């Protein structure tokens, strides 16, 4: 075991393939349908032709591929090298502050130019769109983490990018909008007057602050009606997105080897599931094929408790019922979560792969309240100097809880978590927390019961 | 020559000593008085006793030390390891965008938790104060880069930190204030009602937006009247601060060796001089003692052209004439620069060491307008993905200009510049630039002529 703080890999250690968990999924596809995608109109399995209206063909091929390792195109590797490999850092000052025998490591994805892991999938998606001759992408973004990543990637490949940004964020959080515009993207507040769905929403709810569900619907419509000019890009949930993020866990495996330790527990926060899958899937593979017994923990907010309180069922990916239907843990497609600061975790559904792995017991799921997560983030910041994004703070807090438990039990424990992004654009939330202005959100039991009534009936 | 993008050193390569340029200064101290510090009242050389009211004794000893290498205390090294060594990155995408034969490398100090090089001196200063039994520090900050660094460092050593923040920034730029407060520092808008100088300013100029000069005077007064409870901390200008930053250039030397190249030109932006000295002094040493002929370029804003239009003379360090008098390039202590976004470069004076080296011809100085620097920063961001701080953008632009010149001359050239901090908290300035709202500032010739009349008369 080394006494280092930081484990830096060299560029030569950058993974050259993504890890595709499809062939290793420890559940029967026929039984759990973790990879079934249904047409929202017909409720029958979609054809590649249907999907190709929305996604680049290469992306669709990745979704159904049963190859375990998929080579990362050289052009993508070259851009990854701007910030990858990212550091794995031993949080020794936090360990000391907690007086714990546990060893706490965090993988720091905030080191990317746009400040989060989202760049890992934005780059290959933009590359495929460019290769296939598209003009650009449409997409949605909440607080802007995903939008900034796609804006950077499209700019690097000379593509257009049209972002539908949830209205309340558009006005309250100008920083990420400025980054997107500086990269040459167009950004409009959603609901906008640029789509028929947006206009309908404006008419029905003139004062709506917008929602991620509405913004997805606008972006999907804009791509679907563009005669192939634009494709639609999604920053989470789908298989290829999770796979692109696997560089995180692959690097972390090598870095833990450098540290001379192996994790007892691996932790990630979950919204759509992509940063979690990125850190976790390579370790799950070790569990499945290499006899390891690492606990894999997904952490969600109590305000949007998809995995801990949702149902594992077929549901629409978006509010407007325009996106495909998939089998996942869901709170119902018209569930609107309370206004927690971790905007990236406010999604009614969950990646089908992650859902299936929770259902099969390979992944544990827990939920934390935002007062707890900000308290944890503040402890982390004061010890390590760094302010985590509100989303990542869920993983931070869960890691702290594990370290405290280790102390209580008087046991050593090796904890690895993914710090998926920095919180520099979310500092007003820290201010609100310090001033006692943040709300505690309990499980929204009644609201969930209500929205669960509207799940689609599918024969599949 | 390697084909890498990023040159990461391991923790074991972290410098264990700071480089003190004092014994290597290629100018006669008697002639240029680069290290003379005069009492603002008596205008005679200060005694250590006088300085010890303001600064920790260890800091004063460093200021006068003629030891070339000063060991970095272990406690400081341990904290440096949270973010150091920082990466040196070859800006290959920028080179391609410029279609230049030049090789452009940047040392990225924005990788520190507080986003700039300032943490490199905040940590040792806080360590010394702790060792000497102080309760804490007072300091000033403009936009907050320095304040956040000292807030992090004092928090890590359990010290208090009281920050006088220029009023206009306090209200307009809440993000860095929130970081300081989250680290447990107190932050007040300056001029404040907490010092007699502040109260006087409030009375004389009730609507003043404040200035760095006023804030320095408040912080100095608060420390000087605290009966030794608080020391005053300065984030630039003074010899020990420049020395603490020498880790930057020492690392860059090793990293250029990894890259298999040696710089033809080394570039840094200058306000007080500390990030510039950090990257430059170790390379100047190579010029002086190792037969190297690297051009060393300091870049300042035309709106505050201390080196290119100021006089090399004795002047007060602050507006209120409470801080010591030093020999430096100055625009006059009551010169108030126009409101450029690079707030950290709005200082009427310059580090005496840097001034002496410009005077002796060992350092070139140039000035750039902020429209040019933002244009350069935008080119950089669109190529490399990263938004530089407005201060660092001066170095970015100068590097781009060198690369363009290399292309015109059809010559290879190896350029290294210091990217001293990220611009995530300055994005509204980018927005203003994009929207054509930024002013171009010519040399303020008349204003300089006016303020130069008020230099102190010293016999020294």
């Amino acid at each position: 075991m080394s006494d280092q703080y930081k484990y830096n890999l060299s560029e030569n250690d950058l993974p050259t393939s993504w890890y595709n968990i499809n062939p290793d999924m420890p559940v029967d596809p026929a039984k759990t349908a973790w990879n079934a995608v249904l047409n929202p109109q017909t409720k029958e399995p979609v054809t590649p032709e249907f999907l190709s209206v929305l996604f680049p063909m290469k992306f669709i091929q990745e979704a159904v591929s049963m190859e375990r390792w998929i080579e990362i195109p050289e052009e993508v590797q070259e851009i990854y090298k701007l910030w990858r490999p990212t550091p794995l850092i031993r949080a020794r000052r936090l360990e000391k502050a907690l007086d714990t025998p546990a060893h706490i490591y965090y993988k720091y994805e905030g080191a990317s130019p746009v400040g989060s892991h989202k760049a890992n999938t934005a780059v290959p998606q933009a590359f495929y769109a460019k290769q296939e001759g598209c003009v650009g992408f449409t997409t949605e973004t909440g607080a802007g983490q995903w939008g900034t990543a796609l804006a950077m990637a499209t700019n690097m490949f000379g593509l257009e990018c049209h972002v539908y940004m949830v209205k309340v964020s558009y006005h309250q959080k100008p920083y990420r909008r400025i980054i997107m515009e500086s990269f040459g993207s167009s950004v409009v507040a959603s609901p906008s007057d640029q789509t028929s769905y947006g206009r309908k929403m404006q008419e029905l709810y003139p004062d709506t602050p917008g929602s991620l569900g509405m913004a997805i619907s606008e972006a999907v419509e804009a791509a679907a009606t563009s005669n192939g000019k634009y494709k639609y890009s999604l920053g989470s949930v789908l298989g290829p997105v999770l796979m692109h993020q696997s560089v995180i866990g692959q690097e972390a495996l090598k870095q833990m080897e450098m540290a001379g330790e192996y994790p007892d527990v691996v932790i990630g926060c979950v919204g759509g599931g992509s940063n979690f899958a990125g850190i976790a899937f390579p370790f799950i593979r070790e569990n499945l094929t290499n006899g390891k017994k690492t606990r894999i923990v997904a952490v969600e907010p109590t305000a949007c408790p998809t995995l801990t309180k949702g149902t594992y069922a077929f549901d629409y990916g978006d509010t407007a019922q325009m996106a495909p239907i998939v089998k996942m843990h869901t709170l119902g497609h018209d569930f609107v979560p309370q206004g927690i600061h971790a905007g990236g975790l406010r999604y009614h559904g969950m990646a089908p792969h992650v859902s299936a792995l929770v259902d099969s017991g390979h992944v544990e799921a827990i939920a934390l309240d935002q007062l707890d997560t900000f308290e944890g983030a503040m402890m982390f910041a004061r010890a390590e100097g760094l302010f985590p994004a509100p989303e990542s703070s869920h993983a931070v807090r869960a890691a702290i809880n594990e370290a405290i438990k280790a102390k209580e039990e008087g046991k050593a424990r090796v904890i690895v978590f993914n710090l998926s992004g920095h919180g520099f654009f979310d500092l007003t939330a820290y201010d609100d927390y310090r001033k006692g202005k943040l709300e505690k959100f309990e499980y929204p039991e009644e609201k969930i019961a209500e929205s669960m009534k509207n799940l689609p009936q599918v024969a599949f």
Side-chain angles (χ1 to χ4, degrees), chain A:
Chain A
M1 211 187 65
S2 100
D3 59 353
Q4 279 180 237
Y5 281 73
K6 221 170 19 161
Y7 299 91
N8 280 337
L9 295 169
S10 86
E11 260 171 47
N12 305 332
D13 295 313
L14 185 73
T16 54
S17 297
W18 290 302
Y19 167 55
N20 175 18
I21 201 172
N22 283 356
D24 291 331
M25 279 296 279
V27 286
D28 180 353
K31 264 194 196 147
T32 63
W34 53 265
N35 213 13
V37 179
L38 310 186
N39 183 311
Q41 269 99 46
T42 65
K43 294 170 187 167
E44 292 295 322
V46 293
T47 56
E49 289 69 37
F50 173 90
L51 287 177
S52 71
V53 175
L54 293 183
F55 303 107
M57 194 49 77
K58 191 84 202 324
F59 188 83
I60 298 166
Q61 289 164 356
E62 287 179 349
V64 296
S65 171
M66 291 302 276
E67 293 294 321
R68 186 168 287 111
W69 302 102
I70 293 187
E71 205 178 328
I72 305 174
E74 208 170 296
E75 293 86 344
V76 173
Q77 288 190 42
E78 290 296 296
I79 297 180
Y80 276 177
K81 286 179 185 172
L82 292 178
W83 70 93
R84 304 209 71 85
T86 60
L88 179 84
I89 300 169
R90 169 104 180 258
R92 289 179 184 268
R93 295 181 55 86
L94 179 63
E95 291 170 13
K96 210 170 157 189
L98 296 171
D99 188 25
T100 176
H103 294 180
I104 308 174
Y105 295 84
Y106 65 98
K107 180 73 172 161
Y108 185 47
E109 289 295 306
S112 94
V114 289
S116 84
H117 67 291
K118 293 289 186 187
N120 299 330
T121 185
V123 174
Q125 289 195 44
F127 174 64
Y128 297 152
K130 179 72 180 180
Q131 269 200 320
E132 297 177 21
C134 305
V135 172
F137 271 126
T138 66
T139 198
E140 75 289 335
T141 200
Q145 267 194 357
W146 168 240
T148 50
L150 192 65
M152 179 187 81
T154 48
N155 164 64
M156 286 178 169
F157 288 109
L159 294 169
E160 292 180 23
C161 183
H162 300 284
V163 184
Y164 295 85
M165 185 172 188
V166 175
K167 192 161 102 187
V168 58
S169 295
Y170 181 92
H171 291 295
Q172 284 179 2
K173 304 195 169 178
Y175 279 49
R176 288 210 182 92
R177 171 183 63 72
I178 295 169
I179 294 184
M180 290 183 265
E181 290 176 344
S182 295
F183 281 134
S185 294
S186 84
V187 186
V188 294
S190 167
S192 75
D193 59 5
Q194 300 198 355
T195 66
S196 65
Y197 183 73
R199 287 187 293 271
K200 189 172 130 197
M201 290 298 107
Q202 284 188 344
E203 213 179 289
L204 284 174
Y205 315 107
D207 297 324
T208 180
S211 77
L212 211 48
M214 287 183 203
I216 294 179
S217 301
E218 284 207 275
V220 166
E221 180 190 324
T225 57
S226 73
N227 286 320
K229 208 171 148 190
Y230 301 112
K231 301 284 176 182
Y232 164 70
S233 179
L234 191 67
S236 191
V237 179
L238 303 177
V241 178
L242 311 193
M243 183 184 81
H244 299 154
Q245 297 295 350
S246 69
V247 288
I248 302 173
Q250 290 185 65
E251 289 175 9
L253 268 169
K254 282 192 200 175
Q255 288 163 313
M256 286 307 295
E257 211 177 301
M258 285 170 76
E261 302 206 281
Y262 196 84
D264 297 305
V265 54
V266 167
I267 300 169
C269 67
V270 279
S274 78
N275 97 78
F276 168 77
I279 188 87
F281 284 8
F283 286 97
I284 291 177
R285 174 166 157 77
E286 294 298 311
N287 282 357
L288 294 172
T289 66
N290 224 343
K292 300 289 188 186
K293 291 186 161 40
T294 300
R295 287 171 49 223
I296 310 286
V297 180
V299 193
E300 62 186 11
T302 48
C304 193
T306 319
L307 290 172
T308 53
K309 295 286 173 178
T311 302
Y312 186 40
F314 278 97
D315 198 5
Y316 300 98
D318 71 333
T319 314
Q321 309 183 5
M322 291 163 68
I325 294 171
V326 291
K327 188 160 183 189
M328 59 182 174
H329 283 82
T330 179
L331 299 166
H333 59 273
D334 51 6
F335 177 84
V336 180
Q338 285 145 314
I340 53 169
H341 280 278
L345 307 186
R346 292 177 73 239
Y347 182 60
H348 70 274
M350 180 55 62
H353 289 77
V354 174
S355 294
L357 290 163
V358 168
D359 189 60
S360 66
H362 291 84
V363 169
E364 301 171 30
I366 59 171
L368 292 174
D369 170 71
Q370 74 171 354
L371 287 189
D372 288 340
T373 59
F374 272 97
E375 187 188 55
M378 200 68 114
M379 290 166 71
F380 182 86
R382 293 188 76 145
E384 300 288 319
L386 195 72
F387 290 82
E391 291 83 1
S392 320
S393 301
H394 288 70
V396 171
R397 179 70 216 211
I400 289 174
N401 289 352
E402 289 285 342
I404 291 172
K405 213 167 72 184
K407 184 188 175 185
E408 287 167 359
E409 295 170 359
K411 280 186 193 163
R413 188 166 305 176
V414 179
I415 302 163
V416 172
F417 73 91
N418 195 23
L419 209 169
S420 55
H422 64 62
F424 295 152
F425 300 128
D426 308 281
L427 285 166
T428 50
Y430 278 90
D431 211 27
D432 288 347
Y433 169 73
R434 264 189 352 99
K435 291 175 176 161
K437 287 190 201 162
L438 281 199
E439 265 187 275
K440 187 174 177 77
F441 291 115
E442 306 293 346
Y443 276 126
E445 310 267 10
E446 282 177 39
K447 221 160 101 183
I448 297 172
E450 196 56 39
S451 63
M452 291 312 294
K453 291 177 189 160
N454 302 326
L455 293 190
Q457 298 300 316
V458 303
F460 185 78

